[in-house]
Amino acid sequence: MRLAASRFTSIIWTGKSILHNSGHTCWRRMASSQASELFGLKDPSLIKFQGLIDGKWIDAKQGGTIEVFNPATLQKLGAVPEMGLAETKEAIAAASKAFLSWSTTSPKHRHDILMKLFALMQEHHDDLGRLITIENGKPLAEGKGENTYSASFIEWFAEEAVRTYGEQIPAVLNNIRNVVIKQPIGVVSIMTPWNFPSAMIARKLGPALAAGCTAVIKPPPETPFSALAIAELCRRAGVPDGVVNVVTTMKNVQEVGKEMCENKAVKKVSFTGSTPVAKLLYGLAASTLKKVSLEAGGNAPFIVFDDADIDEAVQAAILCKFRGTGQTCVCANRIYVQSGVYAEFAARLTEKVAAFKIGDGLDPETTHGPLIHARAAEKVKKHIDDAVALGAEILTGGHHREGTSFFEPTVLAGVPPEALLNQEETFGPLAALCQFTTEAEVIELANNTDVGLAGYFFSRDVGRVWRVAEKLQVGMVGANTGLISQAVIPFGGVKESGLGREGGPHGIDEFMNTKLIVFGGLGM
């Protein structure tokens, strides 16, 4: 098993293919004919093994491929093209050409197409949820939940398409009128992570299409099939050729990402991922002063005060910390519990976590799936070992299944402030409990980080609720709840967690330019 895992990791991160060019077509034909059996979809035509440029499904010019594996079983799912600079330029050119016509369509027309896409995502709900589970590893219930969440962005921004209002501003002179209109910004580069292979695309593509923009999407190499399925449904919904393009890549990611940020035809870059990569892309996009949306890393505090409803706090901690096996940017990373309820909270949380069952997401008894790859499991182990060396105690879990990326959901008690897991995002199933005494103390601890995406706290004191909510240095606060993500809210962070907002009434503005038109010569 150790040898198999090593080979798996090597394939994933080097992009090496065991197939020759002549084998690509053979594999694709075989994969197409066996897709129904391998993926178990009702509509196997949703599974695509090629990139999409200007309405055409194509292979890489150099013939390379990226092998994709189910992280739970290590079974090979198929291969997608290892595209590079040439294909990226073609995709941008196609999007630029398509923008000339797509940007002039009426908001109602775009609304209608997006609503067709929303209906298709509902129609294929079971297939899309299963596809997410197979390539990402999350339990099937979460996979289907993600498709519902993903589709909600398409529905929301379909309605926002017809609400891109301008305004009239009173003039300082009687014979002029000031009118402000909003126009689509242009070609958009979209780069997304593997932890939400469908929702992160919909959250960006929905407003882009609603605004009248065209897009080039670079999905993660670990989970490309959900992105390609969405692209297929866009075509079925009536999105014209060239409006949505998908470039798959892994070993060529640096040159592809650079082109997507620096090409002058691209007017907007939207990225979700780690803070170091966000900073890199921000620098590249600055060469042409593009508009940028960056949703980067988090290090969310989860605070439980003495006056909290402990049952609610425990349940929220489970949902917030362990959803997606802890692989979400807004999951609780540092759990601070006030001394008066610390022992009770730790005992109740440990009891719940110890009952989790890890396994294949398609198994109905599975509560939590694998991490995306072995390196992710190694990081969790590193954080546990560091905390234990500093005096923390393992209350449950703590073990990595050798030869796999499965890691037991873990609860640590007595974690000191200097522990590595308090300084950086774990991105895994590790609940680290830290004890505090006063409100002022925990606010200082919670804000002692360079990032600020989300934060959570539990208290029944209305005065404290307002104080803490306003003092937490984050873009989003969950007060007495561990779930904050919705299509209708402005999602985003402060400090080094990024720029801009996604979702809600503010989301479409990120894809539009504001233009002033001053009318004179009115003869007033």
Side-chain angles (χ1 to χ4, degrees), residues 353 358 380 384 396-401 406-411 429-430:
V353 174
I358 58 175
V380 177
I384 292 174
T396 189
H399 299 292
H400 174 205
R401 286 188 184 175
F406 286 103
F407 204 103
E408 290 180 354
T410 303
V411 178
L430 171 58

Side-chain angles (χ1 to χ4, degrees), residues 33-51:
S33 64
Q34 296 180 348
S36 180
E37 178 181 350
L38 181 62
F39 287 87
L41 303 193
K42 300 172 187 175
D43 181 2
S45 65
L46 289 172
I47 305 165
K48 300 297 179 184
F49 298 98
Q50 295 173 291

Side-chain angles (χ1 to χ4, degrees), residues 331-360:
C331 76
N333 199 59
R334 300 167 291 152
I335 301 179
Y336 298 108
V337 186
Q338 201 161 14
S339 55
V341 294
Y342 183 86
E344 180 184 3
F345 180 90
R348 292 194 190 183
L349 180 65
T350 300
E351 181 183 7
K352 296 285 187 181
V353 174
F356 291 166
K357 179 181 178 181
I358 58 175
D360 187 339

Side-chain angles (χ1 to χ4, degrees), residues 164-347:
T164 52
Y165 304 122
E167 58 185 321
Q168 188 268 328
I169 301 174
V172 297
L173 299 176
N174 195 40
N175 66 340
I176 64 172
R177 297 291 183 270
N178 300 319
V179 176
V180 176
I181 65 171
K182 294 181 180 179
Q183 296 179 304
I185 195 168
V187 177
V188 178
S189 289
I190 294 175
M191 290 171 271
T192 58
W194 46 259
N195 58 335
F196 288 94
S198 174
M200 294 302 96
I201 290 173
R203 195 164 74 185
K204 301 171 187 297
L205 184 62
L209 296 181
C213 299
T214 56
V216 177
I217 302 168
K218 188 209 76 63
E222 298 91 345
T223 58
F225 294 119
S226 291
L228 294 168
I230 289 175
E232 169 62 18
L233 292 182
C234 283
R235 299 180 72 215
R236 298 183 191 181
V239 176
D241 293 349
V243 172
V244 175
N245 306 272
V246 182
V247 174
T248 54
T249 190
M250 184 168 67
K251 70 178 182 181
N252 298 323
V253 66
Q254 289 188 347
E255 65 179 33
V256 169
K258 187 173 187 290
E259 184 68 16
M260 291 179 73
C261 289
E262 293 186 341
N263 189 300
K264 290 186 177 181
V266 174
K267 303 303 180 185
K268 160 82 177 183
V269 175
S270 184
F271 167 79
T272 295
S274 71
T275 294
V277 175
K279 291 178 178 180
L280 175 63
L281 298 178
Y282 193 19
L284 295 174
S287 65
T288 50
L289 291 181
K290 299 186 194 310
K291 196 170 186 178
V292 175
S293 295
L294 303 171
E295 193 264 283
N299 189 357
F302 186 102
I303 304 168
V304 182
F305 288 99
D306 283 344
D307 62 345
D309 183 316
I310 300 303
D311 287 335
E312 286 188 2
V314 168
Q315 187 60 31
I318 289 171
L319 292 173
C320 180
K321 171 68 252 185
F322 292 102
R323 183 167 62 107
T325 315
Q327 299 173 114
T328 76
C329 55
V330 293
C331 76
N333 199 59
R334 300 167 291 152
I335 301 179
Y336 298 108
V337 186
Q338 201 161 14
S339 55
V341 294
Y342 183 86
E344 180 184 3
F345 180 90

